Every structure is written in C-alpha cells, then in structure tokens.
C-alpha cells in the first residue's frame, strides 16, 4: 500500500518544486546550471537533473523497508510543508495585489484631480501672460515717461513743504512766532541748497532739451504733426505754465517777475519759430488729404496758447500764435497754387502733343477746348474746397478778423485765385512768343479758350471764392485784390495776342509755300501756261482747312454785345458759306486781269482807298481768315517784285491770280483787299516783264474753269 503513495507524492512534489524554483529562483538556477554544466546528480532531489526513476531504483536497492517507510513519511511531511508555504505565498501575493490595485485606483483618481488643477493653473498662467503682454504693449513706449512722471510726483510731494513755506512764514510772523519762522526758513534753505544741483530744480536745461527735441522733429515729416503739437503743448508749454505759476507764488517781487517774463519771452520765441517751421513744412509737403490734419494741429496749438495767454498777459502771446497759424495757412494756399500751376502746365503740354500728333481733321477743337476748360475750372474749385477746412465752425481761429484778412483775402482770393488766373492768361500768351512756334491749332484753340474763360468762368470763380471765403466788400479788401475787370482785360489781351500769332503762323505757312514756288521757277524761260500751278491749288486747299478750323471756334463776325470776344460759335461749315456765295458772272466782272487793268493799275492806285494789310485780327472767322489771306498775298507780291518775267511768265501769274480771286473772295469779309493785292501782283509782274503781253481774259477764264 505505500508504493502508490510514494509514486503519487514524488511527481507532485517535484513539479511544485520546479515551478517554485522557476518563479523565485530562475536567475540562480540558470547560474547554477551554467556552473555545473552536464555534471548533475540524478538522485539529488533538489537538483536540476533529478530523475525520479533513478532515485526510486536506488532507494529500493539500497534502503531497507523501515528506511523506506521513514523516507516516505519524511517526504509526505515535506510536501505538506511546501503546500502550506505555497498557500501562504499565494495569500501574501494576492493581498499585495489587492493592495497594489487599491493604490493604483487611488493614484488614478488623484491624477485626474491633479490634471484638472494643472489645466486650471495653465489657463491662469496663460491669461496672466496675455494680460502682461497687453500691458507691456500699451505701456512699453511710455515706460520712461511713466517713470519720469512717478519721479515728478514723488518730487512734488517733497516740494509741498517748500510750496507751503511762504504762507507758513507769513502766518508765523503774524502770530509773533519769530523763532519758529527762523527755524522753518533755515530748514528750507538747507534743503534747497542740498538739492540745488538736481536736474529737477534746473528748469532751463530741461526747457532747452525739449526745444532741441522739437527742433529735430520740425525738419522732418516722419512724425505726425498732431503728435508734434501734443509733445510741444503737453511738455514744454505745460511745464512753462507750471513754472510761471509756481515762480509767481514763491517770488512775487517785481524784479523776479521781470526775470520770469524775460525767460518766458526767450523760450516762447524759440518755440514759436520751431512750430512755424514745422507747420510750413507740413503745408508744403502734405497732399490734399493732409489739410484736415494741418487744420486740427493749428487749432490745437492756437487753443493751447490762448489758454496760456490768460496766465501770461504780456507779450501778446495770442496774437503771435495767430500769426503762426496765418503763416501756415498762407503757405498751404501757396502750395495749392503751385499744384495748380503744374496742372496747367501739364494740361497745355498734353494738349500741344495731342494737336501735334493728331492734326486738324482728326480732332474736334470745340471738344478739346471744352475739356480743357472743364479740367482747369474743376481743379480751381477743388483747390478752393480743400482750403475751406481752415474756415470750419469748430476751428478756434476761423472767425478772427486778422486771420480772415491774411488767409481769405490775401492768400486765397489774391495770391491763389487772382494769381493763378493771371498766370494762366500769361502762360497762354507766352506760347505765342515761343520759338519755334507751337502748332497753329494750339494758338487758335487757346485764343478761343481765353475768350470763353473770360466770358463764362472768370466771374464765376471770383464770385465763388468771395462767397466761400466770405471776402468782405470793403474798400480795404478791394484795395488788396485784383478786380475782375482787370483780369478780364488780361484775358482779352492774351486772346488777341494768340489769335494774331495764329494768323501769322498760318499765313506764314502759306507764304512760305508761295515764296519757295516763286524762287524755284524760271520766269523768263517757259512755255505758254495751260493750267494753274499746283502750289496755288495747294494754297487754296490749305486755306479751306484753315477756314474750317477757325469756323469751328469762331462765328462769322464779332458780336456787338461781346466786345472783341465774339458771340456764340456758328455751326455753319465752309461748304455752306460757299453755297450762299456762288461764283457768278457779276462777281467775276468786279475784277479781271485784262490788258486795260494792267495799263491803268497805277492810275487806279492813286484814286483808291488805302487798304490796311497787316492790321490786328478781330475775334471772328472772316477777320482771321482775311488776315491769313492778306499775309500770303503780301508775301507773293514781294516775291514777284524781286523777279524778272518773260511773256509766258507774266501770263502764268495772270492765270494764278485769276484762280486765286475765284476762290479767295469766299474767305474774306472785304473783297477789296483781295482785289487790291491781286492787282498789285499783276502790276508788279507786268512792270518786271521784258515782254508785257497778257493773255486774253476769255482764255484765262477757260483755263481756270477747267482746273
């Protein structure tokens, strides 16, 4: 019966020992196995190479029955002991595992709570950082100023004793406490002497430093003009006011007051010069959008100095501040005037380029003139509207009589408006004097522009400026401004000069063609004429173009109500006028190049009226074109007088003159001018001819009608 128990207990015990050793002594077993190697004892029940079969065989062979039974009982006891130890270990491990699980659960709960607290802490730190950044951004640039103000505040608290000292000494003297008054004075005297070298007690170096900072900013536009004014008013003027108030209370004697006034005058003279320099620079360099900013700066400066004037009545500080504002406003008006001058120059240059490249037949002269008139009138109106910011009702100096006289009357009405209008007329008239001569169409267009500007825009702009800037109708104001009648006369003279220059330029072009044709031809040698010369036909064609250009801007004759300016432009074309005055036999009978005409030319000139060949052109189509015709024919006459003609040369001149008469009478207001000049040309040619035999009139008419 013991054998089954033995064989049953040993495997269970061996497996349990093996598992326990593998769990608790794995490292030790591996090290022992490594040290022992293959030399293991199979009968060592506690060894790694234990073999139950060998161990049992050895016991059966070597041990008696009693020893085997004792061995069995020993092994059973050991098995029970090991089972008890293993159970104890399991219970201990389980209790530790339960304890560890509780600890982990508690730590997890604590971690959740700590995580929430850390998140709250992180949010609080982030909010504090943002607030600190906002405060740093808001106060960063003013940190030095805040530090200075804090120091000033602490210094003022320390100075409170000194400020109260005069009243205290007076009270002690009134009460008869002379000893206490002497001690108070000695204590204050020691404090003042001890602090005399501190920068806070040295007013003049601080004022000089502030003036130096303002002087550096006055020559540049990097800083805003409002900031410039605020820095001067909030620092220099405010400290100067405090200094005056405190100094007057502490040192009320007349001598001290005189020294204070001298010091105040020195500082304010420098400050006003610096502010005037900056205001004038702002007025010159800023664009149209800077007017409101400049006005606000001037208003803030004027209000601050008006308040200071109530504290210091000497020196007429308010008047001097207004003078600085007037200088700035006048400088702004001058800058606007300069912009208008540049606008006028650009407009005239663009118009000249357009006419030079396009030509007369591809552009509409009335449209160009209307566009130029609208552009410049709108520019003047915009300039006046921009300057009205200085007269806003909320501006402290806008109603001052001195400001209105300096700005409204002198700067705007006279120097800006009247000056620009006079400059415009003069600039247009100067084009007539340029060499080389500008395009003739430009001269013609500008002459009509000056007339239309005089008739429609001159009085309107002057009235607009008087209404917008409240220019008074007083003898003093009228003596300061240029009257409209004088400006109107300037524009009339400019228009007349331009028109005369157009006549000279256009007539000079035709005269040049005729002169070259006369000089290039051999009038002694030639054949009998069979047609009109091509240059004469070209002159008539160009004259038709000149007539069309003039007709687009001027009417037939000057209107009686418009003086030299003419009335409305006629819409009739050159073709319609030619249709109204056809070439009839009656008109041809008025002039003919017959031999009798050639013979009686001298007698005819003796009894005919004198014809004005180079008189001034009136503002009308007929007068302008007549001037061109007179100049061209007069040139042809002078060229003929310098040549010697043969028979056929004389007959060619006869044919050309008849052709010219057939067309030129249509463009002139007085046919006698054409008759006279053509007769002079024929008479001169006959006089210079070596064989003065004229062509029959019928043949001449036939050639002209065929051409």
């Amino acid at each position: 019966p013991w054998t089954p128990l033995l064989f049953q207990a040993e495997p269970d015990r061996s497996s349990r020992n093996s598992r326990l050793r593998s769990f608790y002594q794995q490292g030790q077993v591996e090290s022992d196995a490594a040290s022992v190697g293959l030399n293991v004892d199979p009968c060592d029940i506690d060894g790694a190479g234990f073999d139950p079969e060998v161990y049992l065989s050895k016991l059966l062979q070597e041990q008696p029955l009693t020893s085997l039974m004792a061995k069995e009982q020993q092994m059973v006891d050991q098995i029970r002991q090991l089972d008890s130890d293993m159970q104890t270990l399991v219970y201990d491990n389980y209790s530790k595992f339960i304890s560890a699980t509780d600890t982990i659960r508690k730590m997890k709960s604590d971690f959740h709570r700590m995580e929430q607290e850390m998140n709250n802490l992180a949010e609080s730190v982030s909010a504090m950082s943002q607030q600190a950044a906002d405060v740093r951004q808001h106060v960063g640039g003013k940190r030095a100023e805040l530090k200075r103000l804090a120091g000033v505040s602490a210094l003022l608290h320390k100075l409170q004793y000194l400020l109260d000292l005069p009243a205290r000494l007076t009270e002690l003297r009134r009460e008869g406490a002379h000893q206490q008054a002497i001690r108070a004075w000695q204590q204050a005297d020691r404090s003042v002497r001890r602090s005399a070298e501190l920068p806070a007690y040295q007013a003049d170096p601080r004022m000089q430093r502030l003036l130096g900072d303002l002087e550096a900013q006055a020559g540049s536009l990097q800083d805003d003009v409002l900031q410039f004014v605020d820095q001067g008013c909030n620092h220099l003027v405010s400290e100067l006011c405090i200094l005056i108030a405190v100094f007057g209370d502490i040192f009320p004697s007349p001598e001290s007051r005189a020294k204070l006034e001298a010091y105040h005058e020195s500082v304010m003279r420098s400050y006003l010069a610096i502010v005037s320099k900056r205001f004038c620079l702002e007025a010159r360099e800023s664009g149209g959008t800077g007017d409101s900013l400049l006005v606000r700066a001037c208003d803030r400066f004027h209000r601050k100095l008006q308040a200071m004037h109530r504290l210091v009545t000497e020196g007429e500080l308010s008047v001097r501040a207004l003078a600085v504002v007037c200088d700035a406003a006048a400088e702004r008006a001058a800058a606007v005037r300069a912009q208008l001058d540049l606008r006028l120059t650009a407009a005239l240059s663009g118009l000249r380029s357009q006419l030079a490249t396009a030509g007369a037949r591809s552009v509409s002269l009335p449209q160009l003139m209307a566009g130029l008139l609208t552009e410049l009138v709108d520019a003047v109106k915009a300039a006046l509207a921009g300057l009205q910011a200085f007269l806003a009702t909320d501006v402290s100096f806008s109603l001052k009589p001195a400001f209105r006289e300096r700005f409204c009357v002198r700067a705007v009405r006279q120097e800006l408006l009247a000056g620009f209008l006079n400059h415009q007329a003069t600039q247009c008239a100067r084009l007539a004097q340029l060499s080389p001569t500008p395009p003739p169409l430009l001269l013609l267009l500008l002459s009509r522009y000056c007339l239309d500007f005089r008739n429609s825009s001159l009085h309107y702009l002057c009235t607009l400026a008087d209404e917008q800037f409240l220019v008074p109708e007083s003898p003093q104001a009228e003596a300061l401004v240029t009257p409209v009648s004088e400006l109107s006369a300037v524009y009339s003279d400019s228009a007349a000069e331009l028109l005369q220059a157009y006549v000279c330029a256009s007539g000079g072009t035709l005269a040049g063609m005729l002169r070259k044709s006369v000089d290039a031809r051999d009038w002694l040698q030639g054949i009998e004429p069979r047609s009109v010369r091509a240059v004469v036909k070209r002159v008539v064609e160009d004259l038709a173009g000149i007539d069309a250009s003039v007709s687009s801007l001027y009417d037939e004759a000057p209107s009686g109500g418009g003086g030299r300016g003419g009335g409305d432009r006629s819409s009739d074309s050159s073709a319609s006028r030619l249709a109204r005055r056809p070439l009839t036999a009656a008109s041809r009978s008025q002039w003919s190049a017959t031999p009798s005409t050639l013979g009686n030319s001298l007698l005819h000139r003796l009894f005919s009226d004198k014809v004005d060949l180079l008189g001034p052109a009136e503002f009308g189509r007929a007068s302008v074109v007549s001037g061109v015709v007179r100049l061209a024919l007069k040139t042809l006459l002078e060229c003929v007088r310098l040549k010697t003609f043969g028979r056929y040369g004389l007959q060619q001149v006869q044919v050309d003159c008849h052709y010219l008469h057939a067309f030129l009478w249509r463009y002139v207001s007085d046919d006698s001018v054409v008759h006279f000049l053509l007769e002079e040309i024929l008479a001169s040619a006959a006089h210079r001819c070596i064989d003065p035999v004229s062509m029959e009139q019928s043949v001449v008419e036939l050639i002209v009608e065929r051409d």
Side-chain angles (χ1 to χ4, degrees):
W2 55 269
T3 303
L5 179 61
L6 178 63
F7 281 92
Q8 183 179 2
E10 287 297 329
D12 293 339
R13 182 171 180 270
S14 176
S15 63
R16 286 195 298 270
N17 290 337
S18 177
R19 285 195 297 271
L20 289 175
R21 280 194 301 270
S22 64
F23 183 79
Y24 290 103
Q25 298 179 354
Q26 183 68 28
Q28 184 67 30
V29 170
E30 291 178 356
S31 61
D32 294 343
S35 61
V36 175
L38 297 177
N39 298 323
V40 293
D41 186 6
C43 296
D44 186 4
I45 196 171
D46 295 327
F50 175 72
D51 188 357
E53 296 295 336
V54 176
Y55 180 75
L56 182 59
S57 299
K58 184 179 180 181
L59 286 179
L60 292 177
Q61 293 175 4
E62 296 178 356
Q63 297 295 334
L65 180 60
T66 56
S67 297
L68 291 174
M69 293 178 64
K71 190 65 174 178
E72 178 186 13
Q73 186 62 38
Q74 180 183 359
M75 289 184 177
V76 169
D77 294 339
Q78 290 178 355
I79 290 171
R80 291 176 179 172
Q81 183 65 33
L82 289 175
D83 288 341
S84 177
D85 294 341
M86 185 177 65
Q87 187 176 6
T88 301
L89 290 175
V90 170
Y91 287 159
D92 291 342
N93 290 338
Y94 185 74
S95 62
K96 292 178 180 180
F97 177 76
I98 295 299
S99 177
T101 302
D102 294 339
T103 303
I104 292 173
R105 185 182 296 109
K106 183 177 179 182
M107 291 176 63
K108 185 177 182 180
S109 177
D110 293 340
F111 280 145
H112 282 300
R113 180 174 55 81
M114 292 177 65
E115 183 179 4
Q116 184 65 29
E117 292 178 355
M118 290 297 294
N119 291 335
N120 295 337
L121 181 60
E123 292 177 359
S124 301
V125 171
S126 177
M128 293 173 62
S129 301
Q130 183 64 32
Q131 292 178 359
D134 294 341
V135 171
R136 192 162 46 248
Q137 181 179 2
H138 181 70
V139 186
K142 303 178 181 179
R143 182 175 300 173
E145 182 65 18
L146 292 175
K147 184 178 180 180
R148 189 186 68 83
L149 292 177
V152 171
S153 177
L155 180 61
L156 290 177
H157 284 87
K158 295 178 180 179
L159 290 177
Q160 188 64 38
Y161 176 80
L162 296 178
L163 296 177
D164 296 339
L165 182 62
R168 184 182 179 187
L169 293 177
T170 303
E171 183 67 23
L172 292 175
R173 184 176 59 83
R174 185 182 301 110
E175 295 177 356
H178 301 290
Q179 294 295 331
Q180 296 181 11
I182 292 174
R183 285 195 297 269
W185 168 252
Q186 291 176 348
Q187 182 179 359
D189 183 64
R190 288 193 300 269
S191 178
V192 170
R193 291 180 182 277
R194 186 169 54 252
S195 305
E197 300 299 328
L198 294 177
Y201 289 90
Q202 299 176 3
D204 185 72
R206 187 165 62 255
M207 291 295 177
Q208 295 300 325
R209 178 178 56 82
L210 293 176
L211 287 174
D213 295 342
L214 293 176
E215 177 70 23
Q217 297 179 15
S220 173
L221 294 177
Q222 295 181 355
D223 297 329
D224 190 270
V225 66
L226 286 177
Q227 296 179 356
F228 173 80
V229 173
D230 290 340
Q231 181 176 358
C233 293
N234 296 338
H235 295 79
L236 189 140
V237 177
S238 298
E239 291 193 10
L240 188 59
C241 291
I242 294 174
L243 175 63
I244 293 172
V246 174
F247 192 90
D249 292 339
I250 299 178
F251 307 101
S253 63
E255 296 81 4
S256 301
R257 187 69 181 180
K259 293 181 180 179
L260 178 63
E261 291 175 0
Y263 178 75
H264 166 261
E265 174 64 22
S266 174
V267 173
M268 290 308 300
R269 187 187 306 112
S270 301
Y271 175 63
L272 292 177
I274 293 172
V275 173
S276 179
K277 177 182 177 181
R278 176 56 192 272
F279 281 175
C280 291
L281 178 64
E282 187 76 20
R284 288 192 301 268
E285 302 297 335
S286 63
T289 56
D291 287 343
S292 59
L293 194 64
L294 178 61
V295 171
R296 289 170 54 194
C298 291
D299 180 57
R300 191 172 299 180
F301 167 77
H302 184 259
R303 291 179 185 273
K304 187 66 176 181
L305 264 67
Q306 269 190 325
M308 187 177 182
H309 179 67
R310 301 186 184 96
L311 180 63
V312 182
T313 58
E314 295 79 3
E316 298 181 347
L317 188 59
S318 179
V319 176
R320 296 165 66 184
L322 183 61
V324 172
V325 174
C326 290
D327 291 342
E331 190 69 27
R332 182 58 192 157
V336 173
R337 160 69 192 282
Q339 294 174 3
L340 288 178
D341 292 347
L342 293 176
R343 184 78 172 270
L344 172 64
T345 303
L348 293 180
S349 299
L351 186 63
R352 180 174 182 175
S353 301
Q354 188 173 358
L355 289 174
T357 56
R361 301 186 182 278
S362 59
V363 295
S364 174
L365 296 181
Q367 290 182 1
L368 287 179
M369 189 199 66
L372 178 64
L373 184 64
T374 302
E375 178 184 358
L376 293 180
V377 170
D378 290 345
V380 174
K381 292 169 60 178
L384 295 177
L387 292 176
Q388 280 190 288
F390 286 93
L391 302 180
T393 56
D394 57 343
V395 177
S396 60
F397 53 80
S398 61
L399 298 179
K400 299 288 184 180
F403 175 78
R404 287 194 172 273
E405 178 184 350
R406 173 72 186 283
F407 176 68
C408 299
V409 179
R410 295 177 182 270
V412 177
R413 178 60 177 82
Q414 176 60 24
E415 297 176 5
L416 171 60
L417 182 59
F420 172 73
L421 296 179
N422 187 71
H423 171 74
Q424 178 179 237
T426 306
Q427 191 74 7
C428 292
R430 189 176 293 122
L431 293 176
Q433 305 170 1
L434 293 180
S435 180
T437 306
L441 287 179
L442 178 63
L443 301 176
L444 178 65
L445 188 147
L446 290 180
S447 69
R448 187 67 210 191
Y449 168 78
C450 290
L451 289 180
D452 282 4
F453 194 92
R454 184 201 68 176
N455 296 333
S456 62
S457 302
L458 182 61
H459 187 271
Y460 165 72
L461 290 177
C462 293
T463 304
L464 179 65
D466 293 343
E467 293 176 353
Q468 288 183 345
F469 292 88
L470 302 178
V471 177
E473 297 181 358
S474 60
Q476 294 81 4
E478 293 178 357
L480 295 175
V481 299
T482 303
V484 180
S485 59
E486 183 177 337
L487 293 174
S488 179
V490 172
Y491 274 85
S492 297
D493 295 340
S494 298
E497 187 175 355
L498 287 166
L499 192 60
Q500 191 64 33
Y502 171 75
V503 171
C504 294
S506 300
T509 302
L510 300 181
M513 295 168 57
L514 293 173
R515 181 180 57 81
K516 291 180 180 179
S517 68
V518 173
D519 293 340
R521 187 180 180 91
D522 185 5
W523 296 96
L524 286 173
Q525 304 294 331
I527 61 174
E528 185 178 0
R530 292 290 183 267
S531 63
V532 181
R533 289 187 301 147
V535 66
V536 178
K537 297 179 182 180
R538 175 65 183 276
V539 167
V540 174
E541 293 176 359
D542 290 351
L543 189 60
I546 293 173
D547 181 72
S549 299
V550 176
S551 300
S552 65
L553 295 175
Y554 287 97
D555 55 0
E556 283 290 337
S559 175
R564 297 191 64 188
D568 296 335
R569 293 185 297 275
S570 173
S571 61
D572 294 338
S573 64
S574 177
S576 64
R577 290 192 303 276
L578 295 179
R580 293 199 307 269
R581 301 181 61 187
L583 182 59
T584 62
S587 63
R588 288 200 303 268
S589 64
Q590 298 176 4
W591 184 88
S592 61
T594 61
S596 60
T597 303
L598 297 175
N600 299 329
S601 176
L602 180 58
L603 183 63
H604 176 72
R605 281 184 290 171
L606 290 176
F607 294 97
S608 63
D609 295 333
K610 183 179 179 181
V611 178
D612 188 8
L613 296 177
L614 300 177
E618 298 290 336
F619 296 119
R621 182 206 66 82
S623 178
V624 175
V625 181
S626 296
V628 176
V629 171
R630 290 196 303 267
L631 185 57
L633 294 181
K634 181 64 176 175
T635 303
L636 179 59
L637 173 61
E638 297 299 328
C639 292
V640 168
R641 287 175 176 174
L642 297 177
K643 292 293 181 179
T644 302
F645 295 87
R647 175 190 298 181
Y648 296 137
L650 174 61
Q651 293 177 1
Q652 183 65 59
V653 173
Q654 186 180 354
V655 171
D656 293 343
C657 289
H658 192 85
Y659 182 85
L660 289 173
H661 178 266
F663 287 95
L664 295 185
W665 65 270
R666 308 177 184 186
Y667 304 114
V668 297
S669 58
D670 187 5
D671 295 345
S672 62
V673 177
V674 177
H675 294 169
F676 175 79
L677 289 173
L678 293 178
E679 289 174 356
E680 286 289 322
I681 294 171
L682 283 175
S684 298
H687 181 71
R688 298 285 298 175
C689 182
I690 60 176
D691 186 13
V693 178
S694 64
M695 184 179 288
E696 293 293 334
Q697 181 67 22
S698 59
V699 178
V700 173
E701 293 179 357
L702 180 62
I703 294 175
V704 171
E705 290 179 359
R706 184 180 59 190
D707 287 341

